[in-house]
Each structure stands twice: as C-alpha cells, then as structure tokens.
Amino acid sequence: MRLSQEPIFSAADIKARVTELGAEISRDYAGRPLTIVAVLKGAAAFSSDLMRAIDMEHKIEYVRARSYAGTQSTGHVEWLHLPEKDLLGRHVLVAEDILDTGRTLHDLQGKLGAMGVASVSICALLDKPSRRILPIAAQYVGFTIEDQFVVGYGLDHNERYRHLDAIYGLEVATD
Ligand code: IMP
Ligand code: MG
C-alpha cells in the first residue's frame, strides 16, 4: 500500500470547504441549541476545524465507534464511548470523517433518537454514495468521492496517516 503522489484534496481545498460548511451551518441553526457530536477518531481533525468555522454558540460531544479492520468494513459497529451530557432537546449535528456503508451513522442515529434530541443531521467531510448499504444521507457534505480508500486529515489505515494535513488515496503497490 502506498499514498497517491498528489493529494486528492489539499489542505487549502479542505480549509476552504470547511469554511463554507461552517457558514451554511451557522445560517441554518441560528437561534437553535446546537450540539456537534463528533465521531472519533476519524472526525477529530474535521470537527475541531468545523466548530471554529461555525459562527454561533454551540457545544460539542464525542462518540467513539469502531467498525473497521484494515480497509474492510466488518459490518458491526462497536461503541466505545457515548455522549456524557444530556442531549435532551438539543439539535444534534453529527460530524463524521466519511460516510461509507452508512452502518455507523445508522446505528448512531438510533442511539441519539432514544436520547430525546430535537433533531439529528449529519455533516460528513467525505461521502462515498456508491458504497451505501443502509439508507443514510448527509445534509452537509464536504466532498463526494468515488469508491476509493482515502487517508489523511483524520482518516487512517490501521491507525496510520491521520496526521497528514491533506487527503490522499491509498493505492495497492504493483512494483
Ligand atoms: P460506515 O459505517 O461504513 O459508513 O463507515 C464509516 C467509517 O469507516 C468511517 O467513519 C471511517 O472510519 C471508515 N472508513 C470508510 N471508508 C474509509 C476510507 O476510505 N478511509 C478511511 N476510513 C474509512
Ligand atoms: Mg470514522
């Protein structure tokens, strides 16, 4: 496995898009009690940039899911951490690194619904619609991509590459 030579999305591309998403979210949620629920570890970088691009008071909670081993979806979502604060009556915006099969967010939507939230929307930095198994749609999407494994800006392959400031494709080396 090796990284694509050029990033698919540069640090500047990501910054510009996150700024746009923050402006759109600030307009849509004005006057409403907003809590971002960031899905660790993948959305750690994205959610911390996104919250600073949102120009209104809001709160943040973290959940931690594990559903992947290598590049293969295991089909089972394990929750290692769920929100500590009461989300009753809050408008929740889930921040996710990438929407793939939809299993993680389908499971999380059910859990948040049971907590009595006022609404749940999804903000995914990346969306791979061709991989969808469950009918989950994100209201806010940074970039839509083909069925390709990507790393960087929080996204990993077996815990590597999260620190990169741009997003790269991970290619199977042929030489
Ligand atoms: P889903 O439950 O299949 O939608 O998977 C969502 C999770 O799988 C994401 O939050 C990522 O952690 C992981 N994932 C899916 N596609 C990729 C990828 O291309 N690179 C890195 N992680 C990925
Ligand atoms: Mg993730």
Side-chain angles (χ1 to χ4, degrees):
M1 303 287 238
R2 67 172 172 219
L3 292 183
S4 57
Q5 274 187 348
E6 295 298 320
I8 301 175
F9 301 107
S10 69
D13 294 338
I14 297 168
K15 189 170 196 301
R17 189 67 189 115
V18 170
T19 301
E20 288 174 358
L21 288 171
E24 201 182 329
I25 290 162
S26 311
R27 278 197 302 275
D28 293 353
Y29 285 90
R32 293 196 280 168
L34 172 64
T35 299
I36 292 178
V37 170
V39 183
L40 296 175
K41 299 176 192 175
F46 174 48
S47 60
S48 71
D49 286 343
L50 183 67
M51 72 186 299
R52 286 172 291 178
I54 297 176
D55 184 23
M56 60 172 275
E57 188 181 334
H58 62 283
K59 295 178 177 165
I60 189 157
E61 289 290 328
Y62 297 95
V63 294
R64 179 142 181 233
R66 186 161 55 199
S67 65
Y68 248 75
T71 57
Q72 298 303 308
S73 180
T74 60
H76 172 77
V77 183
E78 190 185 351
W79 292 98
L80 306 175
H81 181 76
L82 283 166
E84 289 157 2
K85 292 276 181 278
D86 191 2
L87 292 178
L88 189 69
R90 306 286 302 178
H91 290 275
V92 168
L93 182 64
V94 176
E96 175 65 305
D97 53 358
I98 187 164
L99 184 48
D100 187 39
T101 66
R103 285 191 180 110
T104 309
L105 292 187
H106 183 265
D107 207 83
L108 182 59
Q109 274 188 338
K111 288 205 153 41
L112 292 170
M115 293 177 190
V117 301
S119 69
V120 182
S121 292
I122 294 168
C123 180
L125 175 65
L126 300 173
D127 188 10
K128 276 198 245 184
S130 62
R131 293 260 310 163
R132 206 77 88 249
I133 289 171
L134 292 171
I136 295 291
Q139 287 69 29
Y140 305 91
V141 172
F143 305 101
T144 299
I145 61 168
E146 302 294 308
D147 180 9
Q148 171 187 17
F149 201 82
V150 293
V151 295
Y153 193 66
L155 290 141
D156 74 309
H157 177 251
N158 290 341
E159 299 301 326
R160 293 184 68 194
Y161 310 117
R162 291 193 198 275
H163 66 289
L164 300 174
D165 68 351
I167 294 172
Y168 295 82
L170 197 65
E171 299 163 347
V172 178
T174 50
D175 48 22

